[in-house]
Amino acid sequence: MMAGTMGLGGIEEVAKVAAPRNELFLIAAVKTAARAVCIVMIEVLPQFYMQTSLLSLTFEETSTQAKGKQLAFLALGAASITKIVYSFWSTFPERDPGKPFIQASRIVLALAALLCIGTLIVCSLRIFHTFDCPSHLWNLSSGCV
């Protein structure tokens, strides 16, 4: 069951059993909310944040060409996160007060989208301050280190 859940197969099976046959949209809402948690919050966002740290920590030792490659990979990561946020909003289930699963999935998707946007903003600031700060390190709470 857990292996299927991480691959979202288990969640689909639970939703199929729980939902009547005419409410297949519930399966899509549960899968999208589970994808937000499994893929975005555990994989994509931490990886993007750590890539900005790698750029900052290796700034002095890397060549201009290597910095360009790192910035290109960061741009691809930002585009990936933006695509994920768009896919959340495009598959956002319709508002239906009588269906608690739909309301819960709307909340999870909204929180995941806000987390993605916040991470993009913080990482963009970290990239900018990599070139601006003398130590090339910047934190949200303390500024240049």
Side-chain angles (χ1 to χ4, degrees):
M1 177 74 176
M2 287 305 291
T5 300
M6 290 309 288
L8 304 180
I11 292 173
E12 183 177 6
E13 291 302 317
V14 170
K16 280 182 182 176
V17 171
R21 290 182 185 214
N22 61 349
E23 293 185 351
L24 293 178
F25 64 90
L26 179 62
I27 297 169
V30 171
K31 277 180 79 170
T32 306
R35 182 177 178 265
V37 173
C38 293
I39 295 174
V40 174
M41 294 182 196
I42 296 173
E43 182 182 343
V44 175
L45 294 181
Q47 178 184 3
F48 188 68
Y49 189 82
M50 285 185 267
Q51 282 180 338
T52 60
S53 296
L54 179 67
L55 175 68
S56 298
L57 292 171
T58 62
F59 192 83
E60 292 288 330
E61 288 80 25
T62 55
S63 66
T64 305
Q65 184 180 11
K67 288 175 193 159
K69 287 179 183 179
Q70 286 179 328
L71 290 173
F73 284 123
L74 286 167
L76 288 172
S80 172
I81 292 171
T82 305
K83 180 196 171 290
I84 289 169
V85 170
Y86 176 75
S87 71
F88 287 166
W89 289 119
S90 65
T91 60
F92 217 59
E94 294 180 20
R95 176 171 236 152
D96 189 353
K99 301 201 173 20
F101 282 128
I102 298 296
Q103 296 302 333
S105 66
R106 287 176 62 87
I107 292 170
V108 168
L109 291 175
L111 290 175
L114 287 174
L115 183 66
C116 288
I117 292 167
T119 302
L120 277 174
I121 291 170
V122 169
C123 288
S124 298
L125 287 170
R126 287 172 56 105
I127 293 167
F128 172 77
H129 287 292
T130 296
F131 293 92
D132 186 42
C133 292
S135 65
H136 309 293
L137 296 172
W138 183 82
N139 289 327
L140 184 62
S141 59
S142 63
C144 289
V145 177

